[in-house]
Amino acid sequence: MGKEMFNSIKLKFISLFILILFLLFLPYIFSSSFALTLFCKMGVLIIFSVAYNMLLGQTGLLSFGHAIYFGLAGYASIHILAAINNSYLPSLPLVLLPFVGAIVGLILGVSIGYLSTKRLGTAFAMISLGFCELITALTLIFVVFFNGEDGIQADRVTGNDLFGLTYGPQSEVYYLILFWCIITVLIMYLLTKTPFGRMCNAVRDNQQRAEFIGYNVRKIRWIAFSLSATFAGAAGSLHAINYEHIGFESVSLVQSGMVLFMAYIGGIGNFLGPILGAISLTYLDTMLSDVTEAWVLYYGVIFVLVIAFAPQGISGIILMHSPILRNNPALLKKLITPYSIFLVSILLLTIGFTSIVELIHSIKSNHETLKFFWLSFNNKNILIWLALGLIMTSGVIASRKSFGLVKEKWNEVMEEIKLSLIK
Amino acid sequence: MNYHLELKNVKKSFGSTSIIRGVNLNIKKGEIHSLIGPNGAGKSTLYNLISGVYKPTTGTIKFNNKNIENLPSYEIYRLGLSRSFQITNIFPKMSVFENIRCGLLWSMGYHYSTYKILDKDKNLNMKTNEILEQISLSKFSKESAGLLSYADQRALEIGITIAGGAETILLDEPTAGMSKSETQRATKLISNIAKNRTILIVEHDMGVVFDLSDTISVLVYGEIICSDEPDKVKINKAVREAYLGD
């Protein structure tokens, strides 16, 4: 037992080590500037979504306004950078700037958290929404500080930083973000292992009971809120360094919704969930926004489908299989066929749906033909519409049927596991 | 005489409805004190008043000579008064082990710490296992609490209630909805934890009540009509008319 645990800890350390090594060499494996920009964005959003999930998944507080801490810390950082550019401030190693962002986040989190953690559930969510709208409005009103819709720019190259880094090349920014990403995610992970972290879960599960084991549940929520804002602030600072620009959209509801999507689609029940969510959604966002203007629509559809059919998110779906792996991995074979049938039907549905959406979109933009994958369609041809409609309908039917099949097989496998556990 | 827990003329009304109409109740240190009465008599309300969920409209509640009627629940708990609930009140998504360990945190001085790693504290984890042993749930240590059977969840609830080492425990219908054998197990557990503790218990199973109690108080329509030793309560005329019903 003890040895087993020791081995599992050792395994964790080794895989973490390999992961960090891999991340260090990532810019050499994918060296295009496109890939680097993508990785930088992912790193920032990983910090942000893990911080957000400290609130949503760990403490059970749904906030619609978490971009405030991200964005305002970004504004503060850009102002500091600009002040250094103009020699109002002495040069500061850029690697320390996220500290400033974190402090800004902490101060905001402590004060806004004091007000909003008085209430729970819907009221809490509404207060957060109110603050988000308020701050977004402020960015457009207080032009002195926020510079309205244009936002603010600054130059991140402020002279030689530690180890001779200049942060001119994107790859150096990548390492800065990687450094902060590893540190903050590690701290946030360790936080879940502390009394505070455990009591966050306790408050989430049952706040009355938490109170009757001696805890002021409001204080727990307040600390969680403040710390979550702190890490969001660090992420906002990195965001500002990465783009050398910050605009009002970074504090807005759009940004708040984005982090909610990431945490939710990745899975809020697991520490790794928001990381997966941030990686996959940033990837899709960057890739698809180049290909299609209807990407936001697909984004919404994915979100609705995940909430309706897989509320446990990507990480939740993966972890569902761990009892099978632990007890009888051979049973996984039974799931291969239903899973592949289901994936094929989903693919059919996706092709049908996206081509119809793109076809409708092409009417608006006055193109008669639409290039889609390797095919080109004429949107005046009724037969094409009918054919696509047919594909989509059959995709819907097939998906529903095969989802039933997946469920059925899944239940069979779970029954077998339960039986083997009783024996 | 100074009592351990002392309620004086406690009244509670919700709007124009008065639920508790002047309760005087004295609980001695170290006794098992049962509170019985028909449905709707106000037993749960009285518990909620003692444990700080509600504030009394008038009256005083003293615990170890300290007024507690205006304190929030978590401060009453920290003074050494812990309670269980009529409806199972555990942390369903956390493991059985975590449930008990959370119950230990405050008393072990961890409070709101954000830098101590719990898995490293051998003493804490040993104590958690001791309590799991005491409530016979060791074998389910890693299961998620929501998956336990009803009786086991009730046992876990008692485990969380006693984990922090509170010397006074309020139990709210600990055997409700249990089978005979489960009730026996629960009764055994209660008399086991009653050593060195003061227990106030609300219970409908008269077998359990007369078996365990040192004192029985009868609450009818928001008033205590009798508070005495079990044998005397049994033959009390008012109690027989109002409650025992024969």
Side-chain angles (χ1 to χ4, degrees):
Chain A
M1 172 72 207
K3 201 173 179 185
E4 198 179 291
M5 215 166 98
F6 179 71
N7 278 339
S8 97
I9 290 172
K10 213 161 79 174
L11 195 71
K12 264 187 193 171
F13 267 111
I14 292 173
S15 39
L16 188 68
F17 181 72
I18 294 174
L19 180 68
I20 292 177
L21 213 63
F22 171 71
L23 291 174
L24 281 175
F25 284 101
L26 203 57
Y28 297 96
I29 305 170
F30 303 94
S31 55
S32 72
S33 73
F34 175 78
L36 265 182
T37 317
L38 182 64
F39 295 147
C40 289
K41 199 174 168 190
M42 280 179 183
V44 171
L45 290 174
I46 284 172
I47 304 176
F48 189 25
S49 56
V50 174
Y52 181 73
N53 202 44
M54 194 190 261
L55 212 54
L56 179 62
Q58 308 280 349
T59 321
L61 290 172
L62 172 63
S63 161
F64 288 121
H66 222 56
I68 298 175
Y69 317 100
F70 179 81
L72 288 184
Y75 273 105
S77 307
I78 275 285
H79 273 296
I80 290 175
L81 269 186
I84 295 172
N85 292 157
N86 298 325
S87 315
Y88 296 140
L89 278 179
S91 185
L92 157 111
L94 208 62
V95 68
L96 296 179
L97 200 55
F99 264 123
V100 179
I103 291 166
V104 171
L106 178 65
I107 293 170
L108 287 167
V110 168
S111 34
I112 295 180
Y114 177 77
L115 281 171
S116 48
T117 54
K118 279 193 174 173
R119 306 298 302 275
L120 267 184
T122 315
F124 174 85
M126 288 302 121
I127 294 172
S128 70
L129 188 64
F131 271 109
C132 190
E133 288 298 305
L134 180 119
I135 301 288
T136 313
L138 276 189
T139 58
L140 302 175
I141 294 168
F142 290 163
V143 183
V144 171
F145 187 80
F146 297 104
N147 199 26
E149 285 188 9
D150 295 337
I152 309 167
Q153 290 194 337
D155 187 356
R156 69 179 171 227
V157 183
T158 58
N160 276 348
D161 209 318
L162 302 174
F163 316 115
L165 294 169
T166 61
Y167 300 109
Q170 188 69 26
S171 65
E172 294 187 9
V173 177
Y174 170 81
Y175 287 112
L176 175 74
I177 291 174
L178 179 64
F179 169 76
W180 273 93
C181 193
I182 291 171
I183 298 280
T184 50
V185 170
L186 198 65
I187 294 174
M188 287 189 271
Y189 177 72
L190 290 176
L191 266 175
T192 66
K193 304 280 175 198
T194 64
F196 158 75
R198 299 284 90 186
M199 286 312 296
C200 282
N201 296 163
V203 169
R204 172 199 67 196
D205 276 12
N206 186 342
Q207 65 152 335
Q208 189 177 44
R209 182 34 102 185
E211 212 159 305
F212 281 100
I213 52 176
Y215 280 87
N216 181 347
V217 294
R218 181 167 168 223
K219 200 162 166 185
I220 294 277
R221 291 200 296 263
W222 191 18
I223 300 173
F225 194 98
S226 308
L227 288 178
S228 170
T230 308
F231 288 103
S237 220
L238 289 166
H239 174 82
I241 294 172
N242 188 27
Y243 288 104
E244 302 184 287
H245 170 264
I246 193 98
F248 78 101
E249 68 286 343
S250 64
V251 297
S252 71
L253 202 53
V254 177
Q255 187 74 33
S256 300
M258 174 103 142
V259 74
L260 170 64
F261 283 10
M262 284 175 176
Y264 221 104
I265 289 175
I268 59 171
N270 183 273
F271 186 81
L272 294 176
I275 300 180
L276 284 180
I279 293 174
S280 48
L281 282 193
T282 312
Y283 179 75
L284 282 180
D285 191 12
T286 315
M287 300 308 280
L288 288 184
S289 59
D290 283 351
V291 183
T292 162
E293 284 174 39
W295 160 232
V296 187
L297 175 69
Y298 301 136
Y299 213 87
V301 170
I302 292 174
F303 186 58
V304 170
L305 289 180
V306 166
I307 290 190
F309 295 105
Q312 66 276 55
I314 303 172
S315 65
I317 292 174
I318 298 171
L319 285 177
M320 264 166 68
H321 295 85
S322 62
I324 307 178
L325 271 178
R326 236 184 298 140
N327 294 301
N328 192 355
L331 285 174
L332 283 175
K333 277 187 207 150
K334 279 195 171 185
L335 293 170
I336 293 176
T337 326
Y339 279 8
S340 10
I341 297 177
F342 180 63
L343 283 179
V344 170
S345 356
I346 284 286
L347 193 68
L348 202 64
L349 175 63
T350 314
I351 291 176
F353 178 72
T354 50
S355 33
I356 287 181
V357 169
E358 294 302 324
L359 214 55
I360 296 173
H361 185 69
S362 72
I363 295 176
K364 190 202 136 213
S365 51
N366 286 327
H367 293 298
E368 277 216 354
T369 52
L370 167 74
K371 281 207 161 51
F372 192 69
F373 296 116
W374 60 96
L375 301 167
S376 59
F377 301 118
N378 184 332
N379 62 25
K380 296 270 158 60
N381 188 343
I382 187 90
L383 282 177
I384 299 240
W385 287 92
L386 282 176
L388 290 177
L390 199 66
I391 292 177
M392 186 170 129
T393 321
S394 50
V396 171
I397 295 169
S399 304
R400 289 194 61 169
K401 292 255 179 206
S402 54
F403 190 61
L405 182 72
V406 167
K407 261 192 183 164
E408 192 186 306
K409 286 284 167 194
W410 174 261
N411 289 339
E412 269 176 34
V413 168
M414 284 328 262
E415 278 307 310
E416 272 189 54
I417 298 263
K418 272 183 199 160
L419 277 178
S420 69
L421 276 184
I422 291 168
K423 278 174 197 162
Chain B
M1 179 174 175
N2 275 334
Y3 290 101
H4 190 52
L5 182 65
E6 201 176 356
L7 281 76
K8 260 195 193 144
N9 199 24
V10 171
K11 290 182 184 170
K12 177 70 184 174
S13 1
F14 295 97
S16 59
T17 329
S18 44
I19 303 293
I20 302 293
R21 319 168 182 213
V23 162
N24 292 295
L25 182 65
N26 300 312
I27 290 151
K28 284 174 251 164
K29 199 175 171 83
E31 70 172 346
I32 299 186
H33 193 126
S34 288
L35 187 63
I36 61 173
N39 283 328
K43 299 184 299 283
S44 287
T45 309
L46 200 60
Y47 260 34
N48 284 337
L49 287 169
I50 298 172
S51 61
V53 178
Y54 302 142
K55 309 281 166 242
T57 313
T58 59
T60 58
I61 304 172
K62 274 187 182 175
F63 179 62
N64 283 335
N65 278 323
K66 189 175 171 11
N67 280 71
I68 59 166
E69 69 269 4
N70 285 319
L71 293 182
S73 306
Y74 54 89
E75 280 185 23
I76 294 175
Y77 173 89
R78 291 175 198 169
L79 293 173
L81 192 153
S82 177
R83 71 167 287 187
S84 76
F85 292 82
Q86 195 177 345
I87 302 159
T88 307
N89 228 340
I90 55 176
F91 305 117
K93 286 190 208 157
M94 294 160 73
S95 73
V96 171
F97 182 85
E98 288 286 2
N99 266 268
I100 297 293
R101 194 163 70 171
C102 278
L104 277 160
L105 290 179
W106 190 271
S107 65
M108 301 271 294
Y110 278 104
H111 302 185
Y112 300 96
S113 163
T114 52
Y115 56 90
K116 289 174 186 154
I117 303 293
L118 289 176
D119 288 344
K120 284 189 176 167
D121 186 335
K122 279 191 186 143
N123 189 19
L124 173 71
N125 296 320
M126 209 176 67
K127 276 198 175 172
T128 308
N129 282 324
E130 272 169 23
I131 291 165
L132 283 174
E133 199 68 44
Q134 200 181 351
I135 57 174
S136 327
L137 288 182
S138 297
K139 57 178 181 293
F140 299 122
S141 171
K142 285 182 179 166
E143 294 297 332
S144 132
L147 297 177
L148 292 182
S149 72
Y150 175 74
D152 284 335
Q153 286 189 357
R154 298 298 300 183
L156 179 61
E157 163 115 38
I158 291 179
I160 301 171
T161 309
I162 61 165
E167 49 166 13
T168 306
I169 309 278
L170 312 186
L171 296 172
D172 200 350
E173 301 199 18
T175 69
M178 283 189 182
S179 71
K180 230 179 187 166
S181 64
E182 287 167 343
T183 304
Q184 271 173 3
R185 182 185 143 198
T187 315
K188 218 170 153 191
L189 175 60
I190 293 166
S191 51
N192 193 0
I193 62 169
K195 291 166 192 156
N196 312 321
R197 285 197 178 91
T198 311
I199 308 266
L200 178 61
I201 177 170
V202 165
E203 184 53 64
H204 277 298
D205 186 326
M206 286 306 129
V208 176
V209 169
F210 284 97
D211 223 23
L212 283 174
S213 318
D214 299 309
T215 313
I216 296 175
S217 293
V218 186
L219 185 72
V220 178
Y221 293 117
E223 280 169 288
I224 300 277
I225 58 167
C226 169
S227 184
D228 217 329
E229 287 163 23
D231 291 342
K232 290 183 183 160
V233 171
K234 237 181 221 174
I235 54 168
N236 183 301
K237 209 177 160 206
V239 175
R240 299 188 78 90
E241 274 171 14
Y243 184 48
L244 294 177
D246 52 3

